[in-house]
């Protein structure tokens, strides 16, 4: 046997003997073991993801609540007796006409 | 000829989270993955551990698999890397190795079946080869890979694959011929 003689053809006999030498008939059991490990990993992976996001999630929720509370403290409550918007003024108008209100809204109270 | 979806289709489904599709790939490639791991690691339990770790790593990286390429080389490259990592860890942990004298103290031809005896001798002979020769002869003759595929996997030229195959075959053939003579 020389290196040049080693073509694309296989040594079928040696290949079969090698496969047989390492064939312990346990491929199916091994595959079942890997499938079980996959299921365990998926389950643990899900919890890992949740655990990974738990702390940032809580921090984000706390930040939002804090921002809302601060915003409520800083924003003065509008006096509901003083209509400010054009719509409010139109709805509240009794004597002036709608066109006057719209005009004054556009040009200001000049 | 096996039925059902091809490997690329199964890998695509697996990348979408279908663990059952990946399970079919495990069923299909369990044998080659275990044998290739055995080509790296002498101990069959270590080899199975490495093959299992390889499958789990492949599952985690399945979205990086290119379905235009054959699945087996992609998977076996991962298995080989896992086996090498495990061997490094084992080497650090223990320095004992399988003695090659097992060949002489193996079961006699009268006491064992032919297949078991040949298997024992071949495993010992293979364990005595350099890793690259073990990989080449296992992938080429036992798994049916092409020279170019093996070269790509191991990062060596085709000529080196042929050379390593030549040396590995010669050593294994010598073992077998010794066994035939012993029995005749």
């Amino acid at each position: 046997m020389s290196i040049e003689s080693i073509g694309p053809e296989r040594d079928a006999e040696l290949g079969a003997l090698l496969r047989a030498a390492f064939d312990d008939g346990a491929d199916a059991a091994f595959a079942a073991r890997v499938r079980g490990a996959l299921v365990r990993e998926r389950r643990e992976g899900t919890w890992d993801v949740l655990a990974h996001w738990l702390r940032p999630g809580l921090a984000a929720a706390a930040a939002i609540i804090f921002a809302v509370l601060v915003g409520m403290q800083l924003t003065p409550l509008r006096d509901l007796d003083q209509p400010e918007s054009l719509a409010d003024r139109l709805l509240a108008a009794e004597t002036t006409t709608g066109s006057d209100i719209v005009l004054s809204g556009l040009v200001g109270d000049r | 000829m096996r039925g059902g979806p091809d490997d690329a289709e199964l890998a695509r489904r697996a990348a979408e989270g279908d663990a059952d599709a990946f399970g079919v790939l495990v069923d299909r490639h369990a044998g080659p993955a275990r044998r290739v791991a055995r080509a790296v690691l002498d101990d069959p339990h270590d080899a199975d551990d490495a093959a299992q770790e390889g499958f789990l790593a492949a599952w985690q990286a399945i979205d990086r698999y290119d379905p235009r390429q054959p699945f087996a080389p992609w998977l076996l490259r991962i298995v080989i890397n896992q086996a090498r990592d495990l061997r490094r860890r084992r080497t650090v942990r223990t320095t004992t190795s399988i003695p090659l004298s097992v060949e002489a103290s193996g079961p006699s031809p009268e006491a064992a079946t032919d297949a078991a005896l040949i298997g024992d001798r071949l495993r010992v002979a293979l364990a005595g080869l350099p890793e690259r020769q073990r990989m080449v002869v296992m992938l080429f003759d036992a798994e049916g890979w092409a020279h170019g595929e093996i070269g790509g996997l191991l990062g060596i030229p085709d000529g080196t694959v042929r050379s390593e195959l030549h040396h590995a075959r010669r050593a294994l053939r010598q073992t077998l011929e010794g066994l035939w003579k012993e029995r005749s």
Side-chain angles (χ1 to χ4, degrees), chain B residues 152-163:
Chain B
L153 178 71
L154 301 180
I156 54 178
D158 277 18
T160 308
V161 173
R162 290 170 190 271
S163 169

Side-chain angles (χ1 to χ4, degrees), chain A residues 53-97:
Chain A
W53 284 103
L54 179 64
R55 190 171 291 180
L58 287 175
I64 291 170
I65 292 169
F66 178 75
V68 168
L69 290 175
V70 169
M72 288 173 67
Q73 290 289 326
L74 294 179
T75 306
L77 289 176
R78 184 162 55 86
D79 185 352
L80 296 177
D81 294 335
Q82 296 293 324
E84 289 180 347
S85 70
L86 193 58
D88 288 339
R89 289 167 67 185
L90 279 170
L91 288 172
E94 288 178 359
T95 55
T96 48
T97 62

Side-chain angles (χ1 to χ4, degrees), chain B residues 122-171:
Chain B
L122 270 182
R123 282 193 296 273
V124 171
L126 198 72
L129 297 178
E131 180 192 311
R132 206 157 70 178
Q133 289 182 21
R134 294 200 300 268
M135 301 293 301
V136 168
V137 73
M138 188 63 88
L139 289 170
F140 188 82
D141 283 330
E143 303 301 335
W145 285 35
H147 293 123
E149 291 175 323
I150 299 170
L153 178 71
L154 301 180
I156 54 178
D158 277 18
T160 308
V161 173
R162 290 170 190 271
S163 169
E164 298 286 35
L165 182 60
H166 168 75
H167 293 301
R169 277 180 175 173
R170 189 172 58 185

Side-chain angles (χ1 to χ4, degrees), chain A residues 2-67:
Chain A
S2 67
I3 295 177
E4 290 73 27
S5 72
I6 299 176
E9 69 282 356
R10 298 173 207 299
D11 187 333
E13 182 192 34
L14 182 59
L17 290 174
L18 280 170
R19 281 194 302 277
F22 290 102
D23 181 12
D24 55 3
D27 285 354
F30 169 82
R33 174 181 139 183
V34 174
R35 282 172 175 261
L38 274 174
V39 170
R40 280 195 302 279
E41 187 177 274
R42 276 167 63 87
R43 200 180 301 139
E44 289 166 6
T46 304
W47 284 111
D48 285 346
V49 169
L50 290 175
H52 179 74
W53 284 103
L54 179 64
R55 190 171 291 180
L58 287 175
I64 291 170
I65 292 169
F66 178 75

